[in-house]
Amino acid sequence: MIYADNAATTRISDTALEKWCEVSRLCGGNPSSLHRVGIQAKRELNLAREIIAEAIGAGSDEIFFTSGGTESVNWGIKGMALSASGPAQIAVSAIEHHAVLRSASALEKIGVTCDLIPVDCQGNLHPCDIESSIKPNTFLVSVMLANNEIGTIQPIKELAETARRRGALFHTDAVQAVGHIPINVYQLGVDLLSASAHKFNGPRGVGFLYVRRGTPITSLLSGGAQESNLRAGTENVAGIAAMAVALSEHVRNLDKEEKHLRQISSRFCDEIRREIHDAHFNGNPGSSLPGLVSLSVRCVSGESLLHLLDMKEIAVSTGAACDSQSTQVSHVLRAIGLDDELAKGTLRISFGYENTEEQAVTLAREIAKAVAKLKTALKR
Ligand code: PLP
């Protein structure tokens, strides 16, 4: 099996799984309980908070655990909207994940207007574009750190600086970036950052939201006083402890992993160029998210390619996994100006640290064979 769909989800690492089992077995208490079993669970929680905070250059009081990327993003955006006073506006990039886009449009019901910030043909957002999207009543700008379909990495530091200068706060959906590229929230200058464990070899259903100290965020969940009264609900202690282990493992190996992923992606692209002369690469191959390659070919369907590859025990994606049920052209590919034919012939390959160069070459050759097969069938 060649699994090259790591942007959809990653396999939980052995050490994260061990930690999950250990905490599940040995820390059976509720971290809010005052007895020693509860205190032991609370200790695991605090340790995880410190590890995660250190990994992104935050203070441990600025990390809030959630059920994953979708919740973090929803909370970051809607929680800020509920704190905004008067008729408000939010500006988000046109290539955000649906968690951001649909959170922003859900706010229309409470009178918040949403401005979509355009991107160029490689998915890059320029500070001058966000400048013109920020109005006097803009309470928040949300721009993802790395795109989940084409891998484009945004100049978040410059964008956040622009937002701050114009009086708006800044959220970044860093779900695809955390654990894969160096991140320091103070250097980036963001007020809020969303992350999800299953994108960096942690368990599914757990994530975190970084909230810069003093940021006026409103809680979305009513209930207990967990997470400093801001996120009610008994914490997923084992999942959180495993997430911390997975993240620290990635941060420790960041340079080595990035080098490996860039090397195999580059070998993959070379092989594709050799085999498929009209292949089109989306985004900024070479400087995008390590390991992510978005590839489009005319006159073939990405979905048919995916199924042919699946028969060869190769797992890739046609775009965002959460949208795999949708037959519509991806809003990301549309925003970068790809025509419908190319957009429909798009595959997203996302390598992980377990993939080898040999697998990358095999994958490229199998894609080329599948493309040739579909094109031959079309001629008949
Ligand atoms: N944001 C981005 C950029 C993503 O890629 C994803 C998941 O694919 C999410 C948010 C949602 O994260 P989760 O699956 O943890 O809810």
Side-chain angles (χ1 to χ4, degrees):
M1 176 86 203
I2 299 179
Y3 183 78
D5 199 15
N6 289 276
T9 197
T10 55
R11 188 183 71 80
I12 187 167
S13 75
D14 294 344
T15 41
L17 184 59
E18 269 165 35
K19 185 71 183 176
W20 189 88
C21 292
E22 178 202 312
V23 174
S24 298
R25 224 179 3 242
L26 305 175
C27 292
N30 184 323
S32 298
S33 297
L34 298 180
H35 47 66
R36 67 188 62 201
V37 194
I39 291 168
Q40 192 189 12
K42 182 87 176 172
R43 210 176 286 135
E44 284 294 341
L45 216 54
N46 290 344
L47 180 64
R49 207 183 302 280
E50 276 165 28
I51 293 171
I52 287 168
E54 195 188 332
I56 62 162
S60 57
D61 57 326
E62 297 173 306
I63 302 297
F64 297 86
F65 297 124
T66 66
S67 64
T70 300
E71 184 192 332
S72 299
V73 165
N74 270 262
W75 183 21
I77 291 177
K78 296 175 184 170
M80 292 309 296
L82 293 175
S83 298
S85 54
Q89 195 257 10
I90 179 170
V92 308
S93 94
I95 59 167
E96 293 299 304
H97 186 272
H98 278 133
V100 168
L101 293 176
R102 290 178 183 156
S103 290
S105 57
L107 292 175
E108 285 169 8
K109 290 192 195 93
I110 58 162
V112 174
T113 54
C114 175
D115 226 45
L116 276 192
I117 316 167
V119 292
D120 69 16
C121 62
Q122 286 163 330
N124 302 303
L125 206 142
H126 299 280
C128 58
D129 292 322
I130 84 158
E131 190 108 32
S132 52
S133 293
I134 302 175
K135 312 282 179 319
N137 64 342
T138 303
F139 66 96
L140 189 70
V141 175
S142 187
V143 177
M144 67 205 316
L145 214 165
N147 183 266
N148 52 307
E149 291 189 43
I150 56 174
T152 305
I153 295 176
Q154 304 296 351
I156 295 297
K157 186 172 187 288
E158 288 76 15
L159 300 175
E161 252 167 39
T162 308
R164 184 169 297 273
R165 215 175 34 250
R166 302 289 309 273
L169 294 173
F170 197 93
H171 166 254
T172 188
D173 172 355
V175 164
Q176 291 289 341
V178 168
H180 301 288
I181 56 174
I183 291 179
N184 181 296
V185 284
Y186 288 114
Q187 281 167 13
L188 288 177
V190 296
D191 301 288
L192 302 137
L193 176 145
S194 296
S196 180
H198 74 103
K199 305 291 186 180
F200 51 80
N201 303 92
R204 272 153 232 163
V206 58
F208 65 89
L209 179 68
Y210 156 78
V211 183
R212 184 202 277 263
R213 212 167 287 133
T215 306
I217 192 161
T218 300
S219 163
L220 293 189
L221 301 179
S222 308
Q226 289 91 351
E227 300 294 295
S228 311
N229 258 322
L230 282 173
R231 198 277 185 181
T234 303
E235 299 89 342
N236 171 3
V237 184
I240 290 166
M243 165 166 71
V245 164
L247 183 55
S248 64
E249 230 178 341
H250 265 275
V251 168
R252 229 182 3 258
N253 296 318
L254 213 57
D255 291 347
K256 200 172 79 189
E257 272 172 24
E258 178 169 356
K259 195 164 159 236
H260 171 68
L261 290 174
R262 292 218 183 278
Q263 196 173 323
I264 62 174
S265 306
S266 146
R267 186 70 208 278
F268 169 81
C269 292
D270 288 348
E271 207 61 31
I272 287 286
R273 279 188 202 99
R274 202 177 358 255
E275 301 270 350
I276 311 172
H277 300 296
D278 60 345
H280 174 92
F281 292 96
N282 303 305
N284 304 309
S287 61
S288 64
L289 197 62
L292 197 150
V293 180
S294 171
L295 167 75
S296 303
V297 186
R298 272 197 199 286
C299 305
V300 296
S301 133
E303 201 179 322
S304 306
L305 280 177
L306 183 149
H307 292 303
L308 286 175
L309 293 168
D310 189 35
M311 288 195 300
K312 299 276 178 184
E313 299 202 3
I314 292 172
V316 296
S317 161
T318 50
C322 50
D323 268 0
S324 60
Q325 308 299 317
S326 164
T327 50
Q328 283 185 350
V329 167
S330 136
H331 66 282
V332 174
L333 301 179
R334 192 155 270 162
I336 62 170
L338 221 62
D339 61 61
D340 279 10
E341 195 195 337
L342 263 184
K344 282 181 183 149
T346 299
L347 281 184
R348 176 187 69 180
I349 291 90
S350 46
F351 294 111
Y353 67 86
E354 290 180 320
N355 291 119
T356 62
E357 195 165 327
E358 197 187 342
Q359 287 183 333
V361 171
T362 306
L363 173 52
R365 291 182 184 159
E366 289 298 338
I367 291 175
K369 277 192 221 163
V371 166
K373 195 169 177 176
L374 290 175
K375 286 192 173 173
T376 308
L378 207 69
K379 280 185 202 142
R380 283 204 193 113

